Amino acid sequence: MFSRAAWVRILPFAAYLFFIVAGDVLERLGVAPSALLWLYPAKIAAVVLLLALFWRHYSELRHFRLSTPAVLTALATGVVVLVLWVSLDAGWMIFGSPVGFDPRSEGRIDWLLVAIRILGAALVVPVMEELFWRSFLMRWVAAPNFESVEPSQLGPKSFIITVLLFGFEHNLWLAGIVAGAAYSLLYMRHRSLWSPILAHAVTNGLLGIWVVRTGNWSYW
């Protein structure tokens, strides 16, 4: 069903999801929350390993070709998405009761875990997710031979399906939809995967700093 080009974009994302499911199962089995915190570094390590293994296949990442205005637009978009992310939190905008990632142990913050969490979210997750959602899925919806599809050629069908799925992947589903729409528009407008990656990195990095400063661990 999927080509090799598809699988190298799917597998890092699938590995990320595997650790999320594994964490949920282990929690239900009674594993201590303090032990489960270390699943995140393992998850990021697995994703980094797969990205490194497949890196030569990511032709869309070989060259950083964004003009200064495009870079500034991506940076600004990342900040706007962050503001909306922490604002769109009414009860009906949230799935379930997210516990989040609480790096405290006996009242003290484990700064190593905090650093890994922020760096992973800002540097690894945007690359992994944008390769899956924008580079693969958004174009695959348009045509099975997705590598031949230019971002500027993507239509409403690809946009809507990808944005909705991206949104409902998150507990904050409405914020996720807004973020997915913003990143997708950047991809289509600038015709470079680096644009949504940059915006996504800004959102995730600043969100990590905001979470640590405010103690709103559920946003992680």
Side-chain angles (χ1 to χ4, degrees):
M1 183 177 180
F2 296 126
S3 64
R4 179 182 179 86
W7 280 116
V8 299
R9 290 162 177 80
I10 294 171
L11 289 176
F13 181 74
Y16 192 84
L17 292 183
F18 169 80
F19 277 92
I20 292 176
V21 173
D24 184 62
V25 171
L26 291 172
E27 182 180 6
R28 293 173 185 274
L29 292 175
V31 176
S34 58
L36 292 177
L37 287 175
W38 290 97
L39 276 179
Y40 189 83
K43 175 168 56 179
I44 290 300
V47 172
V48 168
L49 179 62
L50 289 169
L51 289 175
L53 183 64
F54 301 142
W55 192 260
R56 63 188 178 88
H57 297 285
Y58 304 141
S59 57
E60 62 271 64
L61 297 181
R62 288 175 188 163
H63 304 287
F64 186 91
R65 293 174 178 170
L66 285 177
S67 64
T68 299
V71 169
L72 294 176
T73 300
L75 293 174
T77 299
V79 174
V80 171
V81 170
L82 166 70
V83 173
L84 293 173
W85 193 275
V86 300
S87 302
L88 298 173
D89 60 352
W92 63 273
M93 302 175 185
I94 305 174
F95 276 137
S97 301
V99 176
F101 182 88
D102 188 342
R104 294 174 299 176
S105 177
E106 298 181 354
R108 295 183 178 181
I109 295 177
D110 188 323
W111 291 106
L112 175 59
L113 280 174
V114 167
I116 294 173
R117 178 75 185 196
I118 292 178
L119 290 174
L123 301 180
V124 179
V125 171
V127 175
M128 173 269 294
E129 286 206 319
E130 295 307 318
L131 279 168
F132 175 77
W133 290 109
R134 252 58 67 179
S135 178
F136 164 63
L137 187 63
M138 198 173 183
R139 294 191 294 169
W140 182 80
V141 170
N145 184 23
F146 70 95
E147 288 184 290
S148 65
V149 179
E150 288 294 323
S152 59
Q153 299 173 339
L154 294 167
K157 178 182 176 182
S158 295
F159 179 84
I160 292 171
I161 290 176
T162 305
V163 166
L164 289 177
L165 290 176
F166 182 85
F168 287 107
E169 176 203 13
H170 299 85
N171 294 110
L172 292 165
W173 62 268
L174 185 57
I177 287 175
V178 171
Y183 301 152
S184 295
L185 288 172
L186 285 176
Y187 182 51
M188 296 165 67
R189 177 68 178 85
H190 295 153
R191 295 180 292 177
S192 169
L193 195 65
W194 282 112
S195 183
I197 286 176
L198 183 57
H200 203 154
V202 169
T203 301
N204 286 7
L206 292 180
L207 177 64
I209 295 171
W210 179 84
V211 165
V212 174
R213 286 184 61 86
T214 63
N216 286 298
W217 309 112
S218 63
Y219 283 83
W220 257 356

